[in-house]
Amino acid sequence: MVVLQEESEESLNQLFRALADGTRRDILARSITETPSVSELAAHYEMSFAAVQKHVAVLERAGLVRKRATGREQRVSAERARLRRAGELLDFYESVWRQRVAQLDDVLLGKED
């Protein structure tokens, strides 16, 4: 399980907690294709500016986005490497799941070793 040992459990929890919320996933998607300001992001949601800032902060703590000042605005951009890491972890879990299903198929078909 080398894939899992490369990061702390808390780091992984932060990553998947951040991705668990639909608004945060939408903010992340918008920051992949463009570099919106927090104000521009806030215009897309029926919530306060402060609430959008909090969502961005959760994504930032998880390493999924970064903010940088451009004049008076805070621009948000995706951290593609961290997003790739989430994909790698999900791929790992999928491969484990597929192995288990294959083993179950073998048992059901009487192909036990």
Side-chain angles (χ1 to χ4, degrees):
M1 283 210 231
V2 174
V3 171
L4 298 178
Q5 293 174 354
E6 293 175 8
E7 284 187 65
S8 72
E9 186 170 338
E10 182 54 33
S11 174
L12 294 175
N13 288 344
Q14 274 187 323
L15 175 65
F16 287 108
R17 250 187 250 121
L19 292 171
D21 182 84
T23 300
R24 289 193 288 267
R25 288 190 306 272
D26 190 64
I27 290 170
L28 183 58
R30 291 175 191 278
S31 68
I32 288 171
T33 59
E34 53 191 85
T35 309
S37 68
V38 177
S39 298
E40 290 167 346
L41 287 169
H44 293 282
Y45 308 104
E46 292 185 17
M47 62 181 72
S48 68
F49 177 82
V52 173
Q53 279 184 311
K54 287 180 182 180
H55 281 298
V56 171
V58 170
L59 290 166
E60 193 173 27
R61 278 193 302 275
L64 289 165
V65 300
R66 67 182 161 99
K67 288 189 307 189
R68 71 177 196 293
T70 305
R72 295 179 58 188
E73 294 181 326
Q74 292 287 318
R75 294 278 173 189
V76 180
S77 59
E79 289 289 337
R80 286 178 170 81
R82 186 69 169 149
L83 196 52
R84 270 192 300 277
R85 179 69 177 129
E88 289 169 0
L89 288 165
L90 292 172
D91 288 346
F92 168 76
Y93 288 121
E94 181 182 5
S95 71
V96 170
W97 176 80
R98 287 184 184 279
Q99 286 175 332
R100 297 291 304 254
V101 169
Q103 289 172 345
L104 181 59
D105 283 346
D106 289 346
V107 169
L108 292 175
L109 296 172
K111 295 181 182 178
E112 294 183 70
D113 291 332

